[in-house]
Amino acid sequence: MYVVLGANGRAGGEVARALIERGEAVRVVLRRKEQGEKWTAFGAEVAVADIDDADAMADALKGAQAAFLLNPPPASGDPFARTEELGAALADAVRRARLPKIVVLSSIGAQHASGTGVIATLNRFEALLDGAAPATAFLRSGYFVETWGEVAETVMSESVLPTFLEPSQKIPMVSTIDVGRTVAALLCEEWTGKRVVELSGPEDWSAGDVASAFADVLGHPVKSMLVPPEQRAAILAGEGVPHEVARALLGMFEGIANGLFVRQGDSEQRRGTISLAMAVERLVTTGGR
């Protein structure tokens, strides 16, 4: 039995699907039982628990051979304080459940304790979970291609790709499909101790490459448009992003611009198989979802 957190999110959903496709028994952990109807239909077991409730999480993890854990994207409050609370609670739950193996979602660039905005929370998240299970793997993922779904409607309606990333700067990106498949493979592998695995797509891509991929799928030109740094905070505020969360997100883009979103080098390196064109075509087909 494999336990998956965040199954109704991008990465967790792909992990659960990949495990089910491999014929493995899966238990998804959700906040409310009604959220689990589709997973029950897929044959998964559903456990109900708040991710920061160590008692409930320990119960949800009991009897499993491995689990996929993650630090959900911040929605409000101080992302760093939230990471401290959540990481401590999950580590406690893993130890109390005597879970033998965990795979923890992290990010390329998480080797830096500062200078990377919200990514730096994952540096701390890794530290809190290090050693919680006899076998621990930190999967440091590239920038999710699916994140561009947030501007897909603008791209399709206005033929412009707004971006906080410098259009020509190539960085590690990856489809969440590859994240799910890689996590499933890691969960099913045998090892002991700590591993750091860095995952990116078949090649590194830029925002300009993403615009070109949209253009190919849509059949008309798409131009990438860099949003000036001085305008970004107001844009996030207009979208309802709380100030502390916005500051952490903007810090991430500053860290990327400063060259900190790079592979550590001495970690295990893996590349996925989903091309940028395939990932973008899925975004267009689903309307960015």
Side-chain angles (χ1 to χ4, degrees):
M1 172 68 71
Y2 295 94
V3 175
V4 177
L5 302 192
N8 285 339
R10 287 176 178 140
E14 296 295 353
V15 172
R17 278 186 281 272
L19 286 167
I20 290 169
E21 288 173 2
R22 292 172 70 110
E24 304 292 347
V26 173
R27 178 188 301 150
V28 298
V29 182
L30 304 171
R31 286 185 179 274
R32 296 186 299 276
K33 191 170 182 61
E34 62 268 22
Q35 294 176 322
E37 292 179 359
K38 71 174 182 180
W39 295 110
T40 302
F42 289 148
E45 197 179 298
V46 176
V48 178
D50 283 336
I51 195 171
D52 53 357
D53 183 335
D55 292 335
M57 282 302 307
D59 287 340
L61 295 172
K62 281 180 182 174
Q65 60 200 96
F68 168 68
L69 309 179
L70 78 172
N71 186 9
S76 62
D78 179 355
F80 293 88
R82 172 66 174 159
T83 296
E84 289 289 336
E85 296 170 358
L86 178 58
L90 282 177
D92 184 28
V94 167
R95 292 187 176 100
R96 287 162 58 183
R98 299 185 182 276
L99 196 62
K101 184 192 308 178
I102 56 174
V103 176
V104 181
L105 182 63
S106 186
S107 171
I108 287 176
Q111 67 268 30
H112 302 293
S114 62
T116 56
V118 72
I119 294 174
T121 65
L122 297 172
N123 175 278
R124 184 58 183 154
F125 195 59
E126 288 188 15
L128 289 164
L129 285 161
D130 192 3
T136 300
F138 296 106
L139 181 67
R140 293 183 181 170
S141 167
Y143 189 92
F144 290 168
V145 175
E146 286 72 14
T147 303
W148 296 101
E150 296 169 5
V151 295
E153 288 188 7
T154 300
V155 175
M156 290 185 279
S157 63
E158 301 179 21
S159 299
V160 171
L161 178 86
T163 175
F164 289 3
L165 299 174
E166 201 285 318
S168 66
Q169 182 183 7
K170 291 185 182 292
I171 62 171
M173 295 189 198
V174 66
S175 169
T176 52
I177 296 173
D178 279 328
V179 173
R181 291 173 178 173
T182 303
V183 171
L186 288 170
L187 288 169
C188 295
E189 291 175 11
E190 294 297 329
W191 85 91
T192 57
K194 173 183 174 180
R195 299 170 69 180
V196 175
V197 181
E198 296 185 310
L199 175 69
S200 53
E203 56 186 293
D204 290 355
W205 298 306
S206 67
D209 294 329
V210 176
S212 295
F214 269 106
D216 290 342
V217 173
L218 295 172
H220 58 72
V222 173
K223 181 180 179 181
S224 58
M225 180 185 71
L226 180 65
V227 178
E230 61 272 16
Q231 296 179 12
R232 297 173 186 176
I235 290 174
L236 294 180
E239 293 173 352
V241 180
H243 174 70
E244 288 182 298
V245 175
R247 184 170 59 184
L249 291 173
L250 294 175
M252 175 186 72
F253 289 106
E254 184 177 351
I256 292 173
N258 290 335
L260 297 180
F261 191 71
V262 293
R263 300 170 182 84
Q264 190 168 0
D266 57 352
S267 304
E268 296 179 45
Q269 302 295 320
R270 298 195 184 191
R271 284 191 177 270
T273 61
I274 303 299
S275 69
L276 183 58
M278 291 172 62
V280 168
E281 184 173 13
R282 186 173 71 150
L283 289 178
V284 170
T285 301
T286 61
R289 296 183 298 277

